Amino acid sequence: MTVVRMHEWDADTRVDAAGDGRFTAHLTDRWSGTGGRPNGGYLVAFCLRALGEVLPHPDPLVVGAHYLRPGVVGPAQVDTEVVRAGRRLSTGEARLRCGDREVLRVVASYADLGAATGRTHVLGAPPDLPPPDECGDVYGGARLPDVTVADRVDLRAPEPHGWATGRPTGTPTTEFWIRFADGRPADTASLASLVDSAAPAVLELGETDSATVELTVHVRARPASDWLAARVTTRHVLGGFHEEDVELWDTSGRLVAQSRQLALLPTR
Amino acid sequence: MTVVRMHEWDADTRVDAAGDGRFTAHLTDRWSGTGGRPNGGYLVAFCLRALGEVLPHPDPLVVGAHYLRPGVVGPAQVDTEVVRAGRRLSTGEARLRCGDREVLRVVASYADLGAATGRTHVLGAPPDLPPPDECGDVYGGARLPDVTVADRVDLRAPEPHGWATGRPTGTPTTEFWIRFADGRPADTASLASLVDSAAPAVLELGETDSATVELTVHVRARPASDWLAARVTTRHVLGGFHEEDVELWDTSGRLVAQSRQLALLPTR
């Protein structure tokens, strides 16, 4: 008898080839955000698992995800298309369907980040945080019942987030450590989900939610550590629409992912 | 006899419906960048002109453009698909083909920015520039022969860019005024092209070119002025891959567009 031990992320984002670029999947209720709906980062994962099967390069380099409708827990389907397969880059499209409705469309370009040997010149710097084992849960122990992604992804900071303790800071920037709760190391594909696994920075402005319209992720390097330092910032809210920028840095001080989403505040 | 006066941008980005969501077009040599190849922002314009015809909302809100191959001057075709048409947002996909090769795939969500009545809270600020009529050409009068986009889009700053006078500043940030050279006011669709009409910020690091892999544009407001203040920044170059962030602000001090692209330095 063989026992295969699998991290929960890998089990919960599984896709099975069904021929002609189509994959079947099952969306669990274990990575859900507000309202118990599958988290946006979790939905992206199915598209990247499927694209990883059909594209020749190993690493997602840039991922554009357009959210069309809320995801639904249960059986799902991913249809992939190889748009272009070149020497240095390949591009594919994936459509995630729940029932007969498309919920997410992803266009992504893949590369071999191990072969990226060009110039490096970095002006930004990672968040200045004490080590993870000197930090506590950013939620301060509070949990919304349906927000199961908070049980799957550890977020740690020197102090709980202001909004989590009922005192939003008024400054829509948060910095914290992030890691899969079971210790699974992040790879380049799961980085594109981790950037969307924390609470939105606008909660520090007293807002209660934020709906993603589009998420773009630039994957920059293969992480050299399991804990990653995150910086989440919103700088421009106009008419309810706002960007949210996320940076993830590994403990060697390297930027591993950078994302920006366009999101909308709930109407009151 | 009727004489229709048309700004060159409108004439040069024309699309003609050919049925079933297909449009025909002609790529001119009048908006070209390095090497005489149609500028990336110019290619996006054809996709947005076509999507503007098939989607019910008036303003591009978020545009994701994946560059597959260089565009080719001459006849072209845009195939559109209405992915979802909702009450507040609609999403479409457009594929630009030159000959039988797809050169650009765009997924874009549209909205009515005139109806965006939610909260506004802005932490960023526009570039601090003297008025356009006190500024000069950022190129310092220099021109590369094939870079025709430089004749169509006015870029003005207090001093020419460092790289344009053979002295790159070493700091990959530039600030300048931008406007169509014939005075055409920018609208929300052309903002998505204007963000990619200036020289890359990495030229100030002594680089000679930058190839866009993917460009995402967030359109935030309808511009209240023809001149727009631009800020272009690159902060992280890793293995040749780098982001470039652009902000465009109108003279009322409002952010009208924000973009980020993932681009690659040429190999030496």
Side-chain angles (χ1 to χ4, degrees), chain A residues 93 119 121 123 207 235, chain B residues 93 119 123 207 235 237:
Chain A
E93 180 170 301
R119 179 176 183 179
H121 184 92
L123 298 172
E207 299 293 335
R235 295 177 68 236
Chain B
E93 181 170 300
R119 179 177 182 177
L123 299 172
E207 299 293 335
R235 294 177 68 236
V237 184

Side-chain angles (χ1 to χ4, degrees), chain A residues 61 66 68 81 84 93 105 107 118-121 123 205 207 216 220 235-237 239-240 243 262, chain B residues 61 66 68 81 84 93 105 107 118-121 123 205 207 216 220 235-237 239-240 243 262:
Chain A
L61 171 71
H66 298 257
L68 304 168
E81 173 198 354
R84 178 174 180 268
E93 180 170 301
R105 181 167 298 200
V107 182
R119 179 176 183 179
T120 290
H121 184 92
L123 298 172
L205 292 176
E207 299 293 335
T216 299
R220 295 304 204 85
R235 295 177 68 236
H236 310 90
V237 185
E243 92 285 8
L262 185 78
Chain B
L61 171 69
H66 298 257
L68 304 168
E81 172 198 354
R84 178 174 179 269
E93 181 170 300
R105 181 168 298 201
V107 183
R119 179 177 182 177
T120 291
H121 184 92
L123 299 172
L205 292 177
E207 299 293 335
T216 299
R220 295 303 205 87
R235 294 177 68 236
H236 310 90
V237 184
E243 93 283 8
L262 185 77

Side-chain angles (χ1 to χ4, degrees), chain A residues 9 38-48 51 60-68 94 103-109 188-200 210-219 231-234 242-248 257-264, chain B residues 61-66 89 91 107-109 214-218 260:
Chain A
W9 177 253
N39 172 256
Y42 182 52
L43 299 178
V44 168
F46 293 95
C47 292
L48 295 189
L51 286 174
L61 171 71
V62 51
V63 180
H66 298 257
Y67 293 88
L68 304 168
V103 302
L104 176 65
R105 181 167 298 200
V106 167
V107 182
S109 292
T188 51
S190 57
L191 287 176
S193 298
L194 285 175
V195 295
D196 193 41
S197 295
S210 169
T212 307
V213 178
E214 193 270 350
L215 169 69
T216 299
V217 187
H218 296 184
V219 179
R231 179 183 288 125
V232 181
T233 312
T234 290
H242 56 283
E243 92 285 8
E244 179 172 273
D245 288 353
V246 178
E247 296 170 6
L248 298 181
Q258 189 177 25
S259 72
R260 174 171 286 169
Q261 63 174 263
L262 185 78
L264 182 56
Chain B
L61 171 69
V62 51
V63 179
H66 298 257
L89 297 172
T91 302
V107 183
S109 292
E214 193 269 352
L215 169 69
T216 299
V217 187
H218 297 183
R260 174 172 285 170

Side-chain angles (χ1 to χ4, degrees), chain A residues 27-53:
Chain A
L27 275 52
T28 75
D29 61 1
R30 293 157 45 82
W31 305 81
S32 295
T34 318
R37 291 185 297 274
N39 172 256
Y42 182 52
L43 299 178
V44 168
F46 293 95
C47 292
L48 295 189
R49 290 281 301 252
L51 286 174
E53 297 290 323

